[in-house]
Amino acid sequence: IILLSITDLNEAAGWGDNAFTEVLRSRLGPGLGNTLIGLVLGAMWLCGLSSLTSASRMIYAFARDGGLPFSKQLSRVSPTYRTPSNAIWALVAFALLLALQIDLYSAVVAVAVIALYVSYGLPIAAGLYARAKGTWHTRGPWNLGHLSTVIGAIAMLWIIFISAVLVLPP
């Protein structure tokens, strides 16, 4: 929708990295445009916070099992907050350092998103394979019925497509 809202492609190209926000402001007006930008930023903040929470728990779990350098420090749980605060702050510091390296940051983000899609795709592909071989007969309590194979195939095509797109340079 944003791309279709661009009235002057040369002007939008001139906005560079701010093209998204400027298109919103120019097409929706400053009030609604800024409100929508705020909502997008809020959603991005919450997604980042949820990723940070999940990753810090994984760091804690690996450290607790002795699988990381500095495991003893990273596996400590704060007696006050009962959270793995050392793992959280180590991850925050690492993420901040990574974000300051913009070229490296965009590559890491692209790889992380591709890996996330692959992690979704592996069980879908396994299910499609098992159905094709006839070894999976019992469906779970929530399923898509006779459409599950078609939707699974569409999902796999999407994962392949979006992974190829994410490999393209910015």
Side-chain angles (χ1 to χ4, degrees):
I1 292 172
I2 298 298
L3 290 175
L4 294 174
S5 298
I6 296 173
T7 54
D8 183 358
L9 191 56
N10 290 328
E11 182 182 30
W15 289 327
D17 289 343
N18 296 325
F20 178 80
T21 57
E22 292 302 323
V23 168
L24 282 175
R25 284 189 191 111
S26 70
R27 299 304 287 167
L28 299 175
L32 185 57
N34 286 334
T35 300
L36 193 54
I37 292 166
L39 289 172
V40 168
L41 289 174
M44 291 170 64
W45 171 261
L46 292 173
C47 286
L49 190 59
S50 112
S51 296
L52 184 70
T53 302
S54 174
S56 67
R57 296 319 189 258
M58 283 187 272
I59 289 174
Y60 166 73
F62 281 119
R64 180 195 60 209
D65 296 339
L68 292 175
F70 309 108
S71 285
K72 187 173 182 170
Q73 292 82 9
L74 291 173
S75 64
R76 285 194 190 132
V77 175
S78 167
T80 307
Y81 300 107
R82 298 175 19 170
T83 59
S85 56
N86 289 351
I88 294 168
W89 286 112
L91 184 63
V92 167
F94 177 72
L96 184 61
L97 288 172
L98 191 61
L100 295 174
Q101 300 293 325
I102 298 301
D103 294 337
L104 179 63
Y105 178 74
S106 61
V108 169
V109 168
V111 169
V113 173
I114 291 169
L116 186 64
Y117 273 107
V118 168
S119 73
Y120 293 150
L122 289 174
I124 296 169
L128 289 172
Y129 180 76
R131 280 197 197 100
K133 289 202 54 133
T135 57
W136 187 8
H137 303 291
T138 307
R139 295 181 190 265
W142 188 91
N143 63 72
L144 299 170
H146 66 282
L147 292 176
S148 61
T149 302
V150 172
I151 292 172
I154 292 169
M156 289 306 301
L157 290 173
W158 171 255
I159 290 169
I160 292 166
F161 169 75
I162 198 66
S163 297
V165 168
L166 289 169
V167 172
L168 298 174

